Amino acid sequence: MNSLPNSDLMYFSFNFDAMNNAKHILVTGGAGYIGSHTVVQLIESGYTPVIVDDLRNAHAKSLDGIKKITGKEIIHQPIDVCDLTALEKVFSNYSFEGIIHFAAYKAVGESVEQPLKYYRNNILGLVNVLELAQKFNVKNIVFSSSCTVYGEPENEKVVTENSPIQIANSPYGNTKQIGEEIIQDFIKSGVDCKILNLRYFNPVGAHPSSIIGEFPLGKPNNLMPVITQTAVGKLPKITVFGNDYDTIDGTCVRDYIHVMDVAEAHVKGINWLKNQDKSLVEQLNIGTGKGTSVLELINTFEEISGQKLNWEFGPRRSGDVVEIFADVTKMLNLMNWKPNRTAKDAVIDAWNWEQKLTNDKK
Ligand code: NAD
Ligand code: WQD
């Protein structure tokens, strides 16, 4: 593995031939949950990802995992995307065909307590990436946005990319809205660049090999790791937040999408952007189009694992959206992407991954 901002020269002489032919894609945050799965899919599609990730919210193990799955050496630069000088050095060293910008903080609750931490990292990181893309003439960019921009849908629970954007209910959500606005202004300025804002719904699951998956640092907030960690005894029980919502069974409904489908959407996105002639920015939903309630997900897990989960109802969680799922027609029409896996597949892979993590620690 090459982790080497300080040994660039050596690296150049070592990999000179490969670098001439390689189709490099800058992947910021490529060691993280969605990033690591996307890096695998990029490599399997013939790209050479250059991961910029200082591992502030990732394990180095995920880089080993990518190498193990793909059989390829991984290019990793442990750099802070907010460090413009260090990031510029990476842009000088490679000729990127595209950029996927994942690097950001993502914990909603923490963003309410420490908003400036979120604004600094998520906004400054994006501005640096755009500035260097312009300077180094990189024309194809994918930005990690989120369904959080829709807030609580007013009428229809299924949202299209034209559904109204609501006032953000957390500083984290606001960084995604502001990020999309910055990108709109960047494109309006007449810059020669094409950008996709991918609005992910609820990415879950893991690589089917169980070699990479989600490594939540500290106590998880998201439902899927709460379920699997409860099943292995890392957490004592699941509190289901609210049972009196106006939904199929009183619990909240989300669009859980397999992380491998999310990863594939990025490869499709980069391929599609490369074929576009004119500057553009597009918003695209990345979901399954199907809603699943909290209880339905718990039931699916119990069915698959053959194990009863310790769960109980608790009060509603403040700020929770009641019900939302994606209309994904635009992705289908524009780049023939559709999810190939179900929420059940995601539960199977998340469960296998959790068991592997637990066994590895024994
Ligand atoms: P993650 O925390 O697993 O991955 C983010 C990666 O970025 C981490 O590896 C972290 O070390 C790195 N990083 C963060 N700040 C950095 C910095 N300044 N410099 C270098 N590296 C930095 O998160 P994820 O779930 O993979 O999410 C990826 C992106 O997708 C984020 O932008 C997130 O907001 C967005 N998103 C995630 C979800 C979700 O539910 N996971 C949903 C919608 C959108
Ligand atoms: C799902 C459902 C909870 C934990 C978050 C971010 C959002 C986006 C996607 C990044 C909800 C319920 C959860 C638990 C529970 N991320 N739940 N008990 O809230 O849809 O969205 O991830 O952009 O911005 O906010 O995901 O996994 O936290 O919750 O009952 O212990 O599970 O109330 O209904 P959410 P989640």
Side-chain angles (χ1 to χ4, degrees):
M1 192 181 307
N2 300 298
S3 264
L4 40 64
N6 298 323
S7 51
D8 295 359
L9 277 177
M10 202 176 73
Y11 178 68
F12 267 130
S13 54
F14 189 67
N15 276 312
F16 190 72
D17 288 342
M19 290 200 50
N20 274 344
N21 302 321
K23 298 193 288 175
H24 288 114
I25 304 289
L26 171 63
V27 186
T28 74
Y33 175 43
I34 306 172
S36 56
H37 292 80
T38 302
V39 166
V40 167
Q41 297 306 98
L42 284 168
I43 293 173
E44 291 184 349
S45 306
Y47 288 105
T48 303
V50 175
I51 298 173
V52 166
D53 193 316
D54 59 9
L55 305 184
R56 67 183 64 197
N57 196 37
H59 280 258
K61 271 188 195 166
S62 68
L63 299 170
D64 296 335
I66 298 168
K67 186 177 167 187
K68 198 165 170 196
I69 294 169
T70 61
K72 293 270 168 35
E73 287 298 319
I74 306 304
I75 305 173
H76 169 228
Q77 309 253 343
I79 283 169
D80 178 354
V81 291
C82 295
D83 180 343
L84 186 63
T85 311
L87 193 60
E88 177 155 4
K89 216 171 155 209
V90 180
F91 275 79
S92 325
N93 286 347
Y94 299 92
S95 175
F96 291 121
E97 286 199 356
I99 301 170
I100 305 179
H101 181 49
F102 290 109
Y105 290 133
K106 63 168 181 178
V108 175
E110 186 188 59
S111 79
V112 176
E113 286 153 20
Q114 300 179 59
L116 299 184
K117 174 177 169 179
Y118 277 69
Y119 286 115
R120 173 176 290 279
N121 198 36
N122 296 8
I123 303 301
L124 185 56
L126 173 65
V127 170
N128 283 351
V129 164
L130 295 178
E131 199 172 312
L132 292 171
Q134 185 171 16
K135 184 165 178 180
F136 288 84
N137 211 16
V138 186
K139 296 186 199 304
N140 307 304
I141 304 179
V142 176
F143 171 63
S144 294
S145 189
S146 167
C147 67
T148 191
V149 301
Y150 297 116
E152 179 75 59
E154 270 163 11
N155 301 313
E156 287 296 314
K157 302 302 176 190
V158 52
V159 287
T160 73
E161 292 79 358
N162 295 325
S163 296
I165 301 296
Q166 312 274 359
I167 291 173
N169 67 1
S170 73
Y172 165 73
N174 209 20
T175 66
K176 293 302 175 188
Q177 292 192 4
I178 295 169
E180 288 198 5
E181 285 170 10
I182 289 171
I183 286 170
Q184 295 282 357
D185 288 343
F186 181 62
I187 294 298
K188 271 191 222 150
S189 74
V191 67
D192 184 11
C193 192
K194 300 156 283 174
I195 307 190
L196 300 179
N197 294 323
L198 298 190
R199 294 175 176 166
Y200 321 142
F201 280 64
N202 291 64
V204 287
H207 192 272
S209 64
S210 303
I211 294 171
I212 56 170
E214 192 172 8
F215 276 110
L217 299 179
K219 190 174 178 289
N221 297 308
N222 295 117
L223 182 60
M224 186 67 94
V226 167
I227 289 178
T228 57
Q229 290 198 10
T230 305
V232 293
K234 280 187 202 162
L235 293 174
K237 66 169 176 250
I238 303 166
T239 302
V240 174
F241 300 135
N243 63 355
D244 56 354
Y245 288 107
D246 182 17
T247 60
I248 177 176
D249 57 19
T251 66
C252 294
V253 172
R254 297 287 184 275
D255 187 335
Y256 297 96
I257 171 144
H258 199 299
V259 68
M260 294 298 294
D261 282 321
V262 178
E264 283 166 12
H266 290 79
V267 180
K268 286 258 182 189
I270 288 286
N271 290 342
W272 183 83
L273 283 174
K274 281 167 54 184
N275 288 325
Q276 307 308 307
D277 304 327
K278 294 200 183 90
S279 292
L280 61 85
V281 52
E282 292 285 352
Q283 283 60 246
L284 290 153
N285 286 345
I286 306 297
T288 64
K290 188 179 174 310
T292 303
S293 75
V294 177
L295 286 187
E296 283 173 331
L297 202 68
I298 288 176
N299 290 338
T300 304
F301 179 86
E302 290 184 337
E303 221 175 82
I304 283 161
S305 65
Q307 174 172 343
K308 281 273 160 218
L309 283 168
N310 184 16
W311 68 267
E312 64 179 16
F313 285 122
R316 292 179 173 197
R317 182 171 71 176
S318 151
D320 255 342
V321 166
V322 179
E323 179 165 5
I324 187 169
F325 50 100
D327 180 318
V328 287
T329 318
K330 189 172 171 189
M331 262 309 270
L332 181 68
N333 290 343
L334 219 53
M335 48 193 89
N336 199 25
W337 172 90
K338 61 176 173 42
N340 290 315
R341 300 153 185 92
T342 61
K344 193 171 172 180
D345 296 327
V347 172
I348 293 171
D349 290 330
W351 179 222
N352 287 337
W353 164 245
E354 187 67 69
Q355 291 177 98
K356 172 149 187 303
L357 274 183
T358 309
N359 290 334
D360 285 352
K361 280 201 182 124
K362 279 182 186 160

